[in-house]
Amino acid sequence: MNISDKEYNKVVLDKKKRNIWLRMLMYFKSALPLLILSMSLAVIIILADLISPYITKIVIDSYITNRDPSVNIYFLGIMYFLCSVVGAALQYVQVNVLNYMGQKIIHGIRMQVFSHIQTMSLKFFDKNSSGSLLTRVTNDIEAISELYSGVIIDLFKDVFMIIGIIGAMLLLNWKIALVNFCVIPVIVVITLLFNIKAKKNFRWVRSLIARINAFFAENISGMKLVQIFNRQKEKYAEYKVINDEYNKAAVMQVYLNAVFRPSSEFINNLVISVLIWFCTGGILNGVLEFGVLYAFINYSKKYFTPINDLADKYTTIQSGRVSVERIFELLDNSENAEDITVGEHIPKIKGEIEFKHVWFAYIGEEYVLKDVSFKINAGDTVAFVGATGSGKSTIINLMGRFYDVQKGEILLDGVNIQEYRLDELRRSIAVVMQDVFLFAGDIKSNIRLNNLDITDSQVEEAAKYVNADPFIQELSRKYAEPVMERGATLSAGQRQLLSFARAVAFNPPILVLDEATASIDTENEEIIQESLKKISKDRTTVIIAHRLSTIKNADNIIVIHQGEINEMGTHDELLRNDGIYRKLYEIQFS
């Protein structure tokens, strides 16, 4: 269940003005029939609950006290029994309806959040840790799930219950009802004070949960490094600081709940005491029936039940409110969102790439690339060489528009890449990275990345083409062999061959190799080099390499130094120059 963009844009996005509860109610639109059914059941359940004390009042005053022969005690007993049975049965139905409706809405929110995250640019992920995003997609949505699965409807039921009780009290005896209502200002004051303290504490708790998740995600990914350098104690100390702070916040949350609930119970008992004191004289003087007092005491307990429910559910409400704010904050982040379907359709790509006076900075005006200009002819193989941090990988990121340039322009077949549809542009460029990422699944799914247009036979052809088939055939289940997270059970060379097979299977006109052979051992390098020659055939190939032996045959080599082009030419031409390339070559082969 996703809200359309048109409906979504109707909501004011200014955080200070928007009403998060109103926005939450928008999600009920897809489940409106279930919402109406649930509310209708709630009304019937409340009416059944309110009738019971009145039946008891009639029994006490008319049958027990006055011995009124016209009172049919059996009929009243049956009515009381039916009210209890109907109330319980409908409550069972309502709980199931609520849970189904809540899960339906949460399913839609999860899909909307994940879909939105997928549209965000790399700049967004540079600023937000994976642990923080994981907290929003899991913990925050789970907290919202509890709101939709009962709290919102229960709030409606509680409000309706209070209104019904107030009406019943006023009909029975308005003077006694006013005595009962005198504590309302006290309840309001206590609730407001509790709200101020609890809301601040919940924001603190949520931020700490995000920090804990981020810490876990980072340290689990880097556990090998932690163990290599024997930093377990230091990492434990870091985690203890965060965990102690979270424990402090959690204890404060328990303390606030422990104060609010007994306060409500005390006021409830105080009201009952006042009712007994106020009504005793009237009962003894015969101007007030005992059944009325009994009904008022019963209604008074029911009157405080919604308030006690509020205390019990306040943790859920505040947790949900903070989570809702965090989720909407994420969904409202359109600054870093990408619309991959906007732009012109890309015709058949030749693969000609040109940078014209490109300036780019990740932060402010700290330019990583400075007035960079070069041209790559279609079908050529061009290599970029330079020291770490010179801007080589940035050039690759700009080609796929993972970032946009501040000055200048990048042309693909003579057209500015900002005019093309983003999805088609990226589909035309396959990137093979040094650190190959493999998803949990099997060999086959990692080659085609769940693209059903790529058949099993095409997957096998791609693997054979890049010399990956021999090692795959040695696996027990071959192409159906399970792949662990990040391909932990495969060697670096095997993972790299799978990434080559992936590139061949998608058959892009432009191939980018970002340090693709940097971590390959000598034994596998020959296989990798043979695969590189095959996959770069008849397509534009861009290579970033530290190993200069891998780029000797490139049509052009561009040397980047401190964000600027220092020199360019073929391998032999650059060796004849007394420049950076020759020095790098001499260092590597001395």
Side-chain angles (χ1 to χ4, degrees):
M1 190 280 314
N2 285 331
I3 297 177
S4 67
D5 293 337
K6 186 176 180 180
E7 291 173 319
Y8 189 81
N9 290 332
K10 290 181 181 178
V11 182
V12 181
L13 297 182
D14 185 352
K15 186 177 180 180
K16 294 181 179 179
K17 296 180 181 179
R18 68 182 182 225
N19 187 321
I20 63 169
W21 299 114
L22 179 61
R23 295 182 67 181
M24 285 186 67
L25 291 175
M26 289 175 62
Y27 288 95
F28 279 110
K29 185 175 181 181
S30 66
L32 194 58
L34 294 174
L35 177 64
I36 294 172
L37 174 61
S38 182
M39 287 185 171
S40 301
L41 291 173
V43 171
I44 298 172
I45 292 168
I46 290 168
L47 289 175
D49 201 18
L50 291 177
I51 291 173
S52 300
Y54 189 75
I55 293 175
T56 307
K57 180 259 180 194
I58 295 174
V59 171
I60 294 173
D61 290 339
S62 300
Y63 186 79
I64 297 176
T65 304
N66 297 325
R67 301 290 181 177
D68 187 348
S70 63
V71 175
N72 189 335
I73 189 65
Y74 300 106
F75 174 76
L76 293 175
I78 292 172
M79 286 294 296
Y80 193 98
F81 175 76
L82 287 177
C83 286
S84 302
V85 170
V86 170
L90 293 182
Q91 196 159 12
Y92 168 79
V93 175
Q94 191 205 26
V95 168
N96 283 281
V97 171
L98 279 176
N99 287 329
Y100 177 78
M101 179 180 65
Q103 290 307 312
K104 181 180 180 182
I105 293 173
I106 291 302
H107 174 269
I109 293 177
R110 281 198 184 98
M111 296 305 295
Q112 186 179 11
V113 170
F114 184 72
S115 175
H116 183 74
I117 289 176
Q118 285 189 309
T119 67
M120 304 307 283
S121 66
L122 288 185
K123 188 182 295 185
F124 171 81
F125 296 100
D126 292 340
K127 297 177 182 177
N128 295 273
S129 67
S130 57
S132 175
L133 294 175
L134 184 64
T135 299
R136 300 199 186 197
V137 177
T138 54
N139 297 62
D140 286 335
I141 290 184
E142 190 59 35
I144 298 174
S145 175
E146 294 182 32
L147 282 180
Y148 280 111
S149 295
V151 172
I152 292 179
I153 298 298
D154 281 349
L155 285 176
F156 162 80
K157 188 166 70 173
D158 290 341
V159 170
F160 194 84
M161 172 69 83
I162 291 174
I163 294 172
I165 291 172
I166 290 174
M169 285 181 173
L170 290 173
L171 288 174
L172 279 176
N173 191 306
W174 66 270
K175 292 182 180 179
I176 301 177
L178 292 179
V179 173
N180 201 69
F181 301 153
C182 67
V183 296
I184 291 179
V186 180
I187 298 171
V188 171
V189 171
I190 292 175
T191 304
L192 289 176
L193 291 174
F194 179 67
N195 178 58
I196 294 170
K197 292 286 185 182
K199 187 176 180 180
K200 182 179 179 181
N201 190 69
F202 269 107
R203 287 202 178 101
W204 186 23
V205 168
R206 282 295 166 193
S207 65
L208 290 172
I209 290 176
R211 285 176 58 189
I212 288 174
N213 285 342
F215 186 89
F216 266 114
E218 184 180 64
N219 281 270
I220 289 173
S221 298
M223 186 56 68
K224 184 177 180 180
L225 189 64
V226 173
Q227 293 180 353
I228 287 173
F229 287 92
N230 194 29
R231 308 308 292 170
Q232 290 93 328
K233 290 183 179 179
E234 288 73 16
K235 288 297 179 182
Y236 177 85
E238 286 182 40
Y239 178 69
K240 188 176 184 302
V241 172
I242 303 174
N243 195 39
D244 287 348
E245 195 172 355
Y246 174 74
N247 181 64
K248 184 179 178 181
V251 169
M252 174 59 72
Q253 182 177 314
V254 173
Y255 170 75
L256 290 171
N257 289 334
V259 169
F260 185 73
R261 179 62 185 261
S263 299
S264 177
E265 290 284 359
F266 172 76
I267 295 172
N268 187 8
N269 292 329
L270 181 62
V271 169
I272 293 174
S273 301
V274 172
L275 284 175
I276 294 173
W277 170 79
F278 184 81
C279 296
T280 301
I283 293 173
L284 294 176
N285 293 328
V287 296
L288 184 67
E289 297 174 319
F290 179 75
V292 174
L293 173 60
Y294 178 85
F296 263 96
I297 292 174
N298 212 322
Y299 281 132
S300 181
K301 290 180 178 179
K302 291 181 181 295
Y303 179 75
F304 276 85
T305 297
I307 298 173
N308 291 332
D309 284 345
L310 179 63
D312 292 336
K313 293 172 182 174
Y314 202 82
T315 300
T316 304
I317 294 171
Q318 284 302 325
S319 176
R321 180 186 175 88
V322 173
S323 296
V324 168
E325 289 176 350
R326 287 161 56 85
I327 291 295
F328 285 158
E329 181 184 359
L330 175 62
L331 292 175
D332 291 344
N333 188 336
S334 57
E335 180 183 354
N336 298 315
E338 298 176 333
D339 192 338
I340 62 175
T341 61
V342 172
E344 296 181 9
H345 174 70
I346 299 181
K348 187 176 181 180
I349 295 294
K350 298 177 184 177
E352 181 185 276
I353 302 170
E354 184 175 4
F355 275 51
K356 282 189 173 182
H357 306 290
V358 169
W359 292 71
F360 175 76
Y362 291 101
I363 303 173
E365 295 186 358
E366 300 176 15
Y367 288 103
V368 179
L369 296 181
K370 307 166 188 175
D371 197 23
V372 172
S373 296
F374 61 83
K375 186 174 182 179
I376 303 174
N377 295 320
D380 281 0
T381 296
V382 175
F384 288 90
V385 177
T388 301
S390 59
K392 305 185 300 297
S393 295
T394 299
I395 290 174
I396 304 304
N397 288 331
L398 295 179
M399 284 183 184
R401 274 198 68 195
F402 295 108
Y403 301 90
D404 284 326
V405 302
Q406 280 87 14
K407 301 177 185 178
E409 59 180 348
I410 302 173
L411 307 179
L412 177 60
D413 291 346
V415 179
N416 193 315
I417 61 173
Q418 294 186 0
E419 296 181 15
Y420 288 133
R421 282 172 56 113
L422 200 53
D423 56 345
E424 295 186 3
L425 172 67
R426 290 177 181 168
R427 200 178 298 131
S428 304
I429 304 174
V431 180
V432 179
M433 297 178 290
Q434 174 186 353
D435 184 16
V436 178
F437 192 96
L438 297 180
F439 294 92
D442 56 25
I443 297 290
K444 187 165 45 182
S445 65
N446 269 283
I447 291 177
R448 66 179 168 206
L449 295 179
N450 295 324
N451 185 346
L452 300 181
D453 292 334
I454 300 174
T455 64
D456 290 350
S457 60
Q458 288 174 322
V459 168
E460 293 182 18
E461 286 175 11
K464 290 175 181 176
Y465 190 75
V466 300
N467 303 321
D469 186 69
F471 93 81
I472 296 175
Q473 293 298 333
E474 293 177 1
L475 300 174
S476 59
R477 299 179 64 181
K478 298 181 173 53
Y479 286 88
E481 180 73 14
V483 175
M484 305 303 290
E485 184 180 4
R486 301 184 68 88
T489 57
L490 301 174
S491 70
Q494 290 171 336
R495 292 198 298 271
Q496 198 63 268
L497 288 173
L498 289 180
S499 71
F500 290 159
R502 181 187 293 168
V504 170
F506 278 80
N507 194 29
I510 300 172
L511 176 67
V512 175
L513 305 173
D514 188 357
E515 306 282 8
T517 61
S519 60
I520 303 302
D521 55 59
T522 307
E523 184 179 350
N524 287 315
E525 184 174 3
E526 187 176 343
I527 300 175
I528 298 295
Q529 288 301 328
E530 186 180 346
S531 302
L532 282 175
K533 290 178 183 178
K534 288 182 177 180
I535 64 177
S536 61
K537 186 180 180 182
D538 299 327
R539 57 168 56 93
T540 303
T541 305
V542 179
I543 303 174
I544 293 178
H546 281 302
R547 292 187 185 183
L548 302 186
S549 60
T550 63
I551 59 171
K552 285 182 178 180
N553 299 320
D555 298 303
N556 194 17
I557 299 173
I558 301 175
V559 181
I560 305 291
H561 181 66
Q562 295 183 353
E564 300 179 42
I565 294 180
N566 183 270
E567 54 183 341
M568 65 173 69
T570 64
H571 173 73
D572 294 332
E573 290 171 349
L574 293 176
L575 284 181
R576 287 194 292 269
N577 297 334
D578 188 16
I580 293 177
Y581 184 83
R582 178 175 175 177
K583 292 177 181 177
L584 290 173
Y585 186 83
E586 289 174 349
I587 290 172
Q588 287 193 22
F589 293 96
S590 61

